[in-house]
Amino acid sequence: MPGSGSFDVLVVGSGASGLAAAVAAARAGADVALATKTTLQACNSAKAQGGIQAAFGDDDSPEIHADDVMRSSHDTANPHLVEILTSEAPSAIHWLEELGVEFTRQNGGYRLARCGGATRHRLLQVGDRTGHAITKALRETFESGPGTELPHHALRSLEPVANGWLATFETREGLHPLVASTVVLAAGGRCFAEARTLGELSTNHPNATGEATRIALDAGAESRDLDALQYHPNGGAWPATMQGYSIPETTRSYGAVLLNADGEEFTDSLGPRDAVSQAIFDEVEKGKGVSTPDGRPAVWLDTTRIARDDAEISLPYMLRRYRGGGIDPLEEPILTYPVLHYQNGGLVIDEHAETTLEGVYACGEIAGGTHGRNRMMGNSLLECTVFGRRAGKAAAERARA
Ligand SMILES: Cc1cc2nc3c(=O)[nH]c(=O)nc-3n(C[C@H](O)[C@H](O)[C@H](O)COP(=O)(O)OP(=O)(O)OC[C@H]3O[C@@H](n4cnc5c(N)ncnc54)[C@H](O)[C@@H]3O)c2cc1C
């Protein structure tokens, strides 16, 4: 058994939320350990392409952003968490810039796209590798500090002890117990495991299996909306190499529309995610879908309507992937079908990201409330940054009090 250790703050998970929490806790002066199931790079966050929302447009405000979140959630989100999310969004963007993220700019400001369910152009992007850019900057910041990295540490149990929490990890060498004054759970959602059980495709990384949520529930934490899983309206359906790929929602922001077998538009392509996914399911059910060469259901996404300039600035990775598979989305429409993507609900948290267990915090996809039962695109990376920072700071302050 590797030697046990003791830390002020133990962060579990190295996606955007865990990295943001670890950086914030370290900056607040805490002795931080960052434990993660496999490598530090392995997570959903790094796969995020589309972007991150923040109200920077002249016609926009945090209040309008919050209204869009509440409406897209069908009024199921926690308004207090939403207010924090949208009001701290601009400062979260500036924090990421300070750490080295370079958002795509245009005409002296940010290049802003409109995402599904939004009434304003609000989505900042780093080309179509936004999650990669954010996690890289956060990871490099954490790695340049004194914090301890614990790769290949899979959380197996969590229990209260006199001065904090005892977390036990499975490692290549056996079980590794660690004690920390406070714990930040940032271990993401469970859509990879859920899709495997259902025999469906998922956009998620294989580490998205959800056992950390189960461990917190076993320790007595409360959860909400855990049954609300989100389908990304536009999973890649063909070619086979693109099955399970999430076609960025920015394709639709920049003009792509959904078409049925007769070439008709059958829904608002920039509606909230649940509405667009349901419209595709319904269209296929009515017999107005098309089939992929391997017999899967699909509809068309007419990507030929995207202006070449927009595609080259905001969709270069997507174009490269499709062209590598023998299809040029600017020359022909592509086949798409909804795919399991995101866990909307999770552990109940307060404004400091503390769960109902004292000294245990949760941020990112493992936490619930900020999106209610239906998340808007671009608000997850934002939640990771806003509530990751809050969790790290609060966990450090509590540990050092
Ligand atoms: C393909 C794709 C595209 C997306 N595009 C966007 C987008 O454009 N904009 C947006 O806002 N959101 C997007 N999302 C959603 C968003 O990226 C994720 O919801 C968010 O990044 C989750 O961050 P996280 O830190 O909570 O979890 P993750 O990034 O999933 O990280 C979880 C971490 O926890 C670790 N872990 C898991 N279990 C354990 C355990 N038992 N013990 C220890 N460690 C564990 C994992 O290995 C991983 O390091 C996208 C998601 C996907 C999959």
Side-chain angles (χ1 to χ4, degrees):
M1 181 191 292
S4 53
S6 159
F7 297 91
D8 293 336
V9 178
L10 169 64
V11 179
V12 181
S14 57
S17 66
L19 290 165
V23 167
R27 286 188 164 195
D31 178 19
V32 181
L34 176 59
T36 195
K37 186 149 57 175
T38 53
T39 64
L40 253 62
Q41 288 82 354
C43 59
N44 272 344
S45 303
K47 287 161 68 86
Q49 302 168 70
I52 178 168
Q53 289 203 50
F56 280 107
D58 291 341
D59 61 348
D60 203 0
S61 69
E63 291 74 28
I64 298 173
H65 185 178
D67 286 347
D68 287 349
V69 177
M70 291 307 298
R71 198 179 44 261
S72 295
S73 81
H74 311 292
D75 287 323
T76 58
N78 175 329
H80 184 44
L81 297 181
V82 173
E83 194 216 317
I84 291 169
L85 179 81
T86 64
S87 62
E88 289 187 10
S91 80
I93 295 297
H94 295 316
W95 189 66
L96 291 172
E97 288 180 318
E98 182 218 318
L99 302 182
V101 180
E102 291 181 32
F103 291 99
T104 307
R105 299 185 78 90
Q106 175 175 283
N107 302 329
Y110 298 115
R111 181 175 167 86
L112 299 174
R114 187 164 83 81
C115 41
T119 54
R120 301 289 190 275
H121 285 71
R122 187 186 297 132
L123 190 79
L124 287 84
Q125 307 131 68
V126 182
D128 55 359
R129 303 296 310 278
T130 311
H132 173 77
I134 290 175
T135 49
K136 181 169 180 288
L138 287 167
R139 196 171 52 248
E140 287 176 357
T141 304
F142 182 74
E143 285 175 341
S144 67
T148 303
E149 294 163 31
L150 298 169
H152 300 287
H153 275 59
L155 184 69
R156 287 295 169 249
S157 67
L158 189 63
E159 50 193 283
V161 288
N163 297 316
W165 291 87
L166 168 68
T168 304
F169 293 90
E170 191 176 315
T171 74
R172 287 166 166 170
E173 289 81 34
L175 292 179
H176 186 183
L178 286 173
V179 173
S181 306
T182 55
V183 174
V184 179
L185 295 175
R190 67 178 199 282
C191 279
F192 183 86
E194 205 64 52
R196 201 172 39 194
T197 306
L198 296 170
E200 294 184 14
L201 297 172
S202 163
T203 57
N204 277 207
H205 189 281
N207 285 359
T209 44
E211 66 279 4
T213 304
R214 174 55 47 207
I215 291 166
L217 296 180
D218 288 347
E222 286 171 25
S223 66
R224 52 167 293 170
D225 305 319
L226 263 183
D227 61 314
L229 298 178
Q230 180 170 74
Y231 281 82
H232 189 296
N234 285 162
W238 192 257
T241 48
M242 300 304 280
Q243 286 170 349
Y245 169 78
S246 66
I247 302 167
E249 197 158 301
T250 36
T251 49
R252 287 174 279 133
S253 310
Y254 290 114
V257 292
L258 292 159
L259 302 176
N260 64 17
D262 301 326
E264 299 159 344
E265 282 188 49
F266 56 90
T267 188
D268 170 9
S269 292
L270 273 184
R273 280 189 163 168
D274 56 348
V276 180
S277 294
Q278 194 56 49
I280 297 172
F281 290 134
D282 292 347
E283 203 66 6
V284 167
E285 186 68 29
K286 276 190 267 171
K288 292 198 146 200
V290 288
S291 276
T292 63
D294 63 348
R296 291 171 184 269
V299 294
W300 294 109
L301 180 65
D302 186 1
T303 41
T304 66
R305 302 187 191 201
I306 304 171
R308 193 164 288 273
D309 283 357
D310 284 335
E312 276 159 14
I313 296 172
S314 288
L315 297 161
Y317 177 70
M318 178 276 223
L319 289 181
R320 240 186 356 265
R321 293 280 311 263
Y322 269 94
R323 285 170 178 160
I327 290 173
D328 185 346
L330 298 184
E331 299 293 335
E332 55 182 311
I334 56 181
L335 288 166
T336 182
Y337 194 69
V339 62
L340 207 49
H341 184 60
Y342 186 79
Q343 172 183 303
N344 290 302
L347 302 174
V348 170
I349 56 166
D350 67 10
E351 66 267 33
H352 303 294
E354 191 168 10
T355 68
T356 50
L357 300 174
E358 243 182 87
V360 178
Y361 299 77
C363 49
E365 196 168 334
I366 197 172
T370 316
H371 316 292
R373 297 180 65 79
N374 186 46
R375 173 178 72 94
M376 291 176 82
M377 179 221 176
N379 275 345
S380 179
L381 289 175
L382 179 60
E383 176 192 27
C384 288
T385 311
V386 167
F387 285 97
R389 266 198 322 179
R390 281 190 163 240
K393 188 165 174 289
E397 281 168 2
R398 188 189 182 96
R400 295 177 66 75

